[in-house]
């Protein structure tokens, strides 16, 4: 029941906020304001419902150190995408056609902030965290990563391969980031940095969706296995390899810090949440 109550509260904020952001399309400042408000309200709602249903402090969204953690995550997300897009460009799959729209870039800050925060609260803050308590870290990483990929199967231009790619490079990697740090701020920053770099800076599709024009007008071409095709760079083999590599690094850190919950002990893990690293 606590899972359903938590999901219901945060999903409601995500849906209402998403409708508001969509309705404000074309107005950069209003979209930015509504996207930011959705992100803030989602975090507040998550903290409120988790405190009520689990009777504990929500250290995973504690404000202390939040800015630094988000910043670290954003740097990782930007860096990861830069490596992926650079690899795609090296094989002739990406080129810059010209300048995009500064207003569109501002719009995308709001859009991506709302999406990154609500998705991380739902998939890592609620689903991964609660499932991990029952079946252990590795099983939870696999199950919630698979679910994250399946949800993206309904996106425009999606395919079975693109969903598998999302499950590995995002679903698994972001869950591993949470497992290693025990704070949601790092995966939130990473998620935002990755998405914003795609559309807001380099002008490519995000998970199959053609977002408003960002800072640059990018053109993707060539074999889909290299460029990701119409789905965007997330369906590129380079993105999958980068995400898998970061997953390994994060899980190594989680194991080194003693944050991996073994499956045989998961049932006795209770609702305890360790302090962020």
């Amino acid at each position: 029941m606590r899972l359903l109550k938590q999901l219901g509260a945060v999903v409601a904020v995500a849906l209402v906020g998403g409708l508001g952001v969509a309705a404000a399309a074309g107005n950069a400042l209003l979209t930015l304001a509504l996207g930011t408000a959705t992100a803030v309200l989602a975090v507040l709602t998550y903290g409120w419902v988790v405190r009520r249903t689990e009777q504990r402090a929500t250290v995973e969204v504690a404000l202390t150190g939040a800015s630094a953690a988000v910043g670290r995550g954003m740097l990782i997300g930007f860096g990861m995408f830069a490596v992926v897009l650079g690899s795609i460009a090296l094989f002739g799959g990406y080129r810059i056609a010209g300048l995009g729209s500064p207003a569109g870039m501002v719009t995308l800050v709001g859009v991506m902030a709302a999406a990154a925060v609500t998705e991380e609260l739902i998939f890592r803050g609620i689903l991964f965290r609660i499932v991990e308590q029952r079946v252990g870290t590795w099983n939870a990483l696999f199950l919630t990563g698979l679910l994250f990929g399946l949800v993206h199967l309904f996106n425009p231009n999606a395919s079975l391969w693109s969903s598998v790619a999302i499950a590995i490079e995002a679903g698994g990697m972001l869950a591993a980031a949470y497992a290693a740090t025990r704070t949601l701020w790092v995966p939130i920053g990473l998620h935002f940095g990755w998405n914003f770099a795609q559309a807001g800076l380099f002008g490519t599709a995000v998970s199959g969706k053609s977002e408003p024009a960002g800072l640059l007008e990018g053109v993707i071409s060539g074999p889909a296995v290299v460029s990701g095709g119409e789905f965007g760079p997330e369906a590129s083999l380079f993105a999958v390899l980068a995400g898998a590599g970061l997953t390994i690094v994060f899980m190594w850190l989680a194991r080194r810090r003693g944050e991996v919950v073994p499956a045989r002990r998961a049932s006795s893990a209770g609702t305890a949440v360790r302090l962020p690293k």
Side-chain angles (χ1 to χ4, degrees):
M1 288 303 298
R2 66 188 173 97
L3 184 148
L4 293 178
K5 290 177 181 178
Q6 292 173 18
L7 277 179
V10 178
V11 168
V13 173
L15 289 176
V16 174
L19 290 174
V21 170
N27 188 321
L29 293 180
L30 183 57
T31 303
L32 174 62
L34 289 175
T36 303
T38 298
V40 172
L41 183 58
V43 172
L44 293 176
T45 300
Y46 173 88
W48 172 78
V49 72
V50 171
R51 283 194 299 271
R52 284 183 61 87
T53 55
E54 298 187 10
Q55 303 299 310
R56 67 173 180 83
T58 50
V59 294
E60 66 271 28
V61 289
L63 293 181
T64 303
S67 297
V70 170
R72 289 195 298 273
M74 288 176 60
L75 285 175
I76 295 171
F78 286 142
M80 177 181 171
F81 187 72
V83 170
V84 170
L85 194 64
S87 301
I88 293 174
L90 188 63
F91 282 83
Y94 173 81
R95 65 181 177 85
I96 297 173
L99 293 177
S101 166
M105 183 176 66
V106 172
T107 296
L108 286 165
V109 173
V111 172
M112 297 310 175
V117 171
T118 55
E119 288 183 17
E120 289 312 302
L121 293 174
I122 291 169
F123 283 94
R124 263 58 70 177
I126 299 173
L127 292 174
F128 173 80
R129 182 176 56 80
I130 292 178
V131 171
E132 181 189 36
Q133 294 166 6
R134 299 293 182 267
V135 300
T137 302
W138 282 106
N139 290 329
L141 186 147
F142 173 79
L143 292 172
T144 59
L146 180 62
L147 178 61
F148 196 66
L150 288 175
V151 168
H152 286 76
L153 185 59
F154 301 97
N155 284 21
N157 304 307
S159 64
L160 181 59
W161 162 248
S162 68
S163 294
V164 170
I166 289 289
I168 296 171
E169 75 203 28
M173 185 263 292
L174 291 167
Y178 171 71
T181 61
R182 295 298 164 178
T183 173
L184 287 170
W185 297 121
V186 170
I188 283 173
L190 204 167
H191 195 150
F192 174 82
W194 169 263
N195 280 0
F196 183 71
Q198 289 185 82
L201 297 181
F202 295 101
T204 65
V206 179
S207 302
K209 300 177 183 178
S210 297
E211 303 290 352
L215 182 63
L216 300 173
E217 182 182 345
V219 177
I220 291 289
S221 61
V225 68
V226 173
S227 66
E230 294 184 354
F231 189 79
E234 289 174 335
S236 166
L237 181 60
F238 294 116
V240 175
L241 293 175
L246 274 179
T247 299
I248 293 171
V249 171
F250 281 130
M251 289 308 297
W252 174 79
L253 284 173
R255 182 176 180 181
R256 182 179 180 183
R257 294 171 175 177
E259 299 290 356
V260 177
V261 179
R264 64 181 180 276
R265 298 179 187 173
S267 60
S268 62
T271 58
V273 177
R274 296 181 178 87
L275 292 175
K277 298 294 185 182

